[in-house]
């Protein structure tokens, strides 16, 4: 049976909105995805029937809240294919990476090295630069190929016995390229380095099986994966998490506090200081369950058909150039392009006047823009609820920008 | 479709590219970046002995609004000192609806940007750069 995009769209109320007389052609999912009724209902259910703080209260609302919060952890764990208590809730994907940079980073010694790439989002560069300033570690950068993939041929040259961690985007937020995780893990293991993946752009496209990937840390954001904002996830191997000192101190993360000293709770509590974002966590759990129930074989084929339609359409508009993989293999539905003579922001602004939402600019990947001497790109990032009408509206808008702005 | 932002006057200013380029031996060169969108402006100025702009040139790597603003600024900057440029800044702010009062040519062209808060910094970036150049 073919993928029923209308049925999926029907679960996202915002997609049937008319705003200033325009339909919603939402193609900025790489920035924030829209959220389905299942998530909205789960958060509303918590707020209206079970709102209380978690873990410490003995009253029945607290019991309800705690059960819902921990159930959300289990839903996320199922989505990632890992045990429940290996899931750490964070404030977002950026917060998760910062947690590792701070806590795992505090175990590193001056001269230790971390390997990143030129394609990374700033959130997978800046925390490591901060660590470099604090701890005297060194950063190495994998280059990027002209078709927007991390160049893994440079791995043997850049991996050294001092490399302790390789931290890379699972899917590029600019080009949509999928990382060859197997090759990275194999190479990293050969020098004893750990591997962390920034899964912000991969998680919104279906369940994962982290044990089969062989990585050591995985991070993703709730709001890009159809969940609320203010919530994210860090998964880490338990032996690593338990060896790491806390990132933040406060309630919930302690074993025993005296005025002289404090002992830490085991992970994940060790990394969840203070009252967590309970409602958003419950919403993210619902989002993971929603994704778990979707036909991802059909959804992926549908998304790739949209990518093909987009690429074919762009090629018919004079002066467009796609920055990223030309093939549909090993990529996800994030497509960046340039329109000769028109700045990406002006393309995006014109598209807005057609009801089309995209992101334009450097996409928090300035080193990548510098590497290819780009002012920026216009980025189309798709989700299973997008359809041909979204792509066709976008193509009409790009053609209009080409005609009027140069 | 709603094309209100890119009205003819703004597009014409951008395409005019008034002052686009570099100066030889400028008195001062200033670069300003907008960290949110990545727009970049480099302004060269030559000043006379009394701090007034004798020549101005700009290089913009940015959107049409930023290009149009740099072009508008270059058209009216010569002969002005820091105070005179500050007056232009107020004119731009008025066009963007951020200050009360009537706005004048050429910055009155930017009135459509008043409804697009996220794009207003694109208009102001060249003015920021020039302010730094005169500081």
């Amino acid at each position: 049976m073919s993928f029923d995009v209308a049925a999926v769209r029907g679960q996202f109320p915002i997609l049937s909105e008319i705003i200033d007389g325009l339909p919603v052609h939402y193609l900025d999912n790489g920035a924030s995805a829209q959220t389905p009724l299942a998530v909205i209902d789960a958060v509303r259910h918590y707020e209206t029937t079970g709102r209380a703080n978690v873990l410490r209260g003995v009253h029945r609302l607290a019991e309800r809240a705690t059960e819902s919060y921990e159930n959300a952890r289990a839903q996320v764990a199922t989505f990632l294919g890992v045990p429940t208590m290996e899931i750490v809730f964070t404030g977002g994907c950026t917060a998760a990476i910062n947690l590792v940079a701070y806590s795992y980073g505090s175990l590193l010694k001056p001269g230790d090295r971390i390997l990143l790439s030129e394609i990374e989002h700033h959130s997978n560069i800046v925390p490591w630069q901060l660590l470099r300033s604090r701890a005297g570690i060194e950063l190495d950068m994998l280059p990027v190929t002209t078709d927007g993939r991390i160049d893994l041929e440079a791995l043997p040259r850049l991996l050294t016995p001092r490399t302790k961690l390789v931290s890379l985007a699972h899917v590029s937020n600019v080009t949509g390229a999928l990382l060859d995780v197997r090759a990275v893990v194999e190479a990293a293991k050969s020098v004893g380095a750990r591997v962390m993946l920034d899964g912000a752009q991969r998680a919104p496209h279906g369940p994962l099986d982290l044990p089969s990937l062989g990585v050591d840390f995985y991070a993703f954001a709730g709001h890009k994966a159809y969940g609320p904002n203010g919530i994210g996830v860090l998964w880490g191997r338990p032996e690593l998490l338990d060896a790491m000192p806390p990132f933040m101190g406060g309630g919930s993360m302690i074993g025993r506090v005296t005025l002289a000293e404090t002992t830490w709770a085991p992970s994940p509590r060790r990394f969840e200081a203070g009252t967590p974002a309970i409602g958003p966590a419950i919403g993210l759990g619902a989002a993971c369950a929603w994704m778990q129930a979707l036909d991802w074989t059909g959804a992926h084929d549908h998304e790739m058909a949209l990518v093909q339609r987009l690429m074919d359409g762009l090629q018919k508009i004079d002066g467009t150039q796609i920055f990223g993989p030309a093939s549909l293999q090993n990529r996800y539905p994030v497509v960046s392009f340039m329109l000769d003579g028109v700045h990406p922001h002006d393309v995006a602004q014109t598209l807005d006047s057609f009801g089309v939402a995209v992101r334009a600019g450097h996409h928090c990947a300035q080193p990548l823009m510098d590497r290819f001497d780009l002012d920026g790109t216009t980025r189309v990032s798709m989700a299973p609820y997008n359809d041909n009408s979204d792509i066709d509206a976008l193509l009409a808008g790009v053609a209009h920008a080409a005609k009027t702005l140069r | 479709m709603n094309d209100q932002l890119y009205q003819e006057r703004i597009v014409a200013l951008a395409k005019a590219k008034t002052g686009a380029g570099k100066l030889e031996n400028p008195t001062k060169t200033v670069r300003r970046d907008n960290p949110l969108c990545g727009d970049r402006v480099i302004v060269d100025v030559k000043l006379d002995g009394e701090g007034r702009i004798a020549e101005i040139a700009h290089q913009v790597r940015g959107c049409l609004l930023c290009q149009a603003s740099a072009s508008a600024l270059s058209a009216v900057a010569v002969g002005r000192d820091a105070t005179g440029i500050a007056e232009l800044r107020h004119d731009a702010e008025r066009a963007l609806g951020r200050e009360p009062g009537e706005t004048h040519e050429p910055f009155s062209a930017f009135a459509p940007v008043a409804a697009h808060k996220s794009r207003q910094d694109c208009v102001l970036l060249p003015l920021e750069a020039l302010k730094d150049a005169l500081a």
Side-chain angles (χ1 to χ4, degrees):
Chain A
M1 200 178 81
S2 65
F3 183 69
D4 187 353
V5 64
V8 176
R9 291 178 70 82
Q11 298 175 57
F12 290 78
I14 205 167
L15 298 179
S16 55
E17 285 288 300
I18 300 292
I19 300 175
D20 298 333
L22 295 166
V24 175
H25 294 295
Y26 193 77
L27 293 166
D28 193 20
N29 297 284
S32 270
Q34 297 301 338
T35 199
L37 281 169
V39 171
I40 298 165
D41 289 347
V43 176
R44 182 180 166 80
H45 184 73
Y46 160 71
E47 299 289 358
T48 55
T49 69
R51 180 180 164 94
N53 211 326
V54 291
L55 299 177
R56 288 175 295 276
V58 296
H59 54 82
R60 62 197 62 219
L61 280 179
E63 291 283 8
R64 274 191 180 185
T66 301
E67 188 179 333
S68 300
Y69 181 66
E70 292 305 326
N71 182 52
R73 196 190 303 279
Q75 289 170 312
V76 173
T78 301
F79 178 74
L80 296 179
V82 298
T84 301
M85 295 310 281
E86 294 177 9
I87 297 298
V88 180
F89 282 124
T90 66
C93 190
T94 297
I97 297 172
N98 273 274
L99 190 164
V100 175
Y102 183 89
S103 296
Y104 181 76
S106 71
L107 305 174
L108 302 183
K109 297 180 175 57
D112 284 346
R113 308 185 81 87
I114 291 177
L115 180 57
L116 311 172
S117 87
E118 290 175 343
I119 212 168
E120 300 310 312
H121 189 284
H122 295 166
S123 63
N124 195 29
I125 295 175
V126 182
W128 308 111
Q129 290 176 333
L130 291 169
L131 176 65
R132 179 174 62 187
S133 302
R134 279 197 309 273
I137 57 123
E138 303 289 339
L139 301 180
D140 297 304
M141 295 288 163
L142 283 161
V144 177
T145 62
T146 52
D147 67 341
R149 293 185 183 278
I150 297 173
D151 185 359
L152 298 184
E153 286 188 11
L155 268 175
R157 176 169 58 84
L158 291 171
L159 280 169
T160 76
R162 293 303 299 266
T163 307
K164 300 300 175 192
L165 182 72
V166 181
S167 186
L168 299 171
H170 194 178
V171 168
S172 164
N173 74 312
V174 179
T175 70
L178 172 69
L179 182 69
D180 182 350
V181 179
R182 194 178 300 271
V184 171
V185 168
E186 192 178 311
K189 275 188 177 165
S190 72
V191 296
R194 303 292 185 174
V195 176
M196 173 161 181
L197 295 185
D198 166 3
Q201 298 295 333
R202 168 59 187 83
H205 300 288
L208 287 142
D209 180 12
L210 294 187
S212 77
L213 287 182
V215 299
D216 300 286
F217 295 105
Y218 199 90
F220 75 95
H223 68 101
K224 295 186 200 293
Y226 319 106
N229 56 18
I231 190 75
V233 168
L234 172 68
W235 170 81
R237 288 188 185 278
E239 65 273 22
L240 292 175
L241 292 176
D242 283 335
M244 287 158 47
F247 178 35
M248 292 194 290
S252 298
M253 50 72 72
I254 51 97
R256 168 87 182 140
V257 178
T258 69
L259 293 179
E261 63 173 5
T262 296
T263 59
W264 317 130
S267 177
R269 306 255 182 269
R270 181 181 302 181
F271 302 107
E272 294 181 0
T275 297
I278 303 165
I282 290 166
L284 178 54
C288 286
W290 180 82
M291 286 191 283
Q292 201 83 39
L294 200 69
D295 162 23
W296 280 100
T297 304
H300 187 71
D301 288 349
H302 168 68
E303 289 177 332
M304 287 303 112
L306 295 177
V307 169
Q308 188 68 63
R309 189 181 187 91
L310 172 64
M311 288 178 162
D312 289 348
L314 286 174
Q315 278 167 4
K316 289 178 189 153
I317 299 170
D318 187 39
T320 57
Q321 190 186 342
I322 289 167
F323 176 50
S327 97
L328 299 186
Q329 302 302 310
N330 297 319
R331 67 128 60 232
Y332 277 80
V334 177
V335 178
S336 270
F337 70 94
M338 290 79 76
L339 176 61
D340 188 32
V342 185
H343 192 275
H345 279 121
D346 300 321
V347 175
Q349 191 80 55
T350 302
L351 289 174
D352 176 65
S353 67
F354 283 72
V356 178
V358 296
R359 177 61 71 87
H362 54 62
H363 312 297
C364 296
Q366 284 180 331
L368 182 67
M369 299 296 126
D370 289 346
R371 161 68 180 80
F372 289 96
D373 195 28
L374 297 172
D375 291 341
T377 72
T378 303
R379 182 186 72 180
V380 187
S381 51
M382 289 155 263
Y385 46 67
N386 287 123
D387 64 11
N388 288 344
S389 78
D390 297 328
I391 303 303
D392 294 347
L394 177 133
L395 292 169
V398 175
H400 183 76
K403 193 171 141 194
T404 58
L405 297 183
R406 61 181 184 186
Chain B
M1 205 221 351
N2 169 356
D3 246 347
Q4 287 172 352
L5 182 58
Y6 296 117
Q7 290 185 3
E8 213 170 295
R9 285 173 68 198
I10 293 180
V11 176
L13 278 169
K15 287 185 177 172
K17 295 186 185 297
T18 307
K22 297 179 185 179
L23 296 182
E24 280 190 21
N25 305 315
T27 312
K28 200 151 182 193
T29 297
V30 167
R31 169 179 154 175
R32 282 295 291 257
D33 292 68
N34 180 340
L36 291 180
C37 66
D39 281 357
R40 177 184 303 167
V41 176
I42 300 171
V43 171
D44 292 341
V45 285
K46 275 188 188 170
L47 303 178
D48 66 15
E50 295 174 4
R52 288 188 299 254
I53 296 168
E55 283 185 70
I56 181 168
H58 62 81
Q59 301 160 70
V60 174
R61 285 193 72 161
C63 65
L64 187 129
L65 296 180
C66 193
Q67 292 171 35
S69 174
S71 190
L73 183 59
S74 297
V76 293
V78 172
R80 290 177 182 263
D81 59 9
T83 307
I85 295 301
E87 284 168 12
L88 291 179
R89 167 71 181 240
H90 287 300
D91 218 25
E93 297 270 2
R94 286 193 287 270
L96 299 176
R98 295 156 61 128
E99 288 182 13
E102 197 181 333
T103 184
H104 307 89
E105 284 281 347
F107 285 98
S108 55
F110 294 96
V113 192
H116 297 268
K117 194 164 173 48
S118 64
R119 304 297 305 278
Q120 292 176 2
D121 284 347
C122 307
V123 176
L124 297 176
L125 195 66
L127 285 150
E128 293 279 338
L130 185 54
K131 182 182 163 193
D132 285 357
L134 298 176

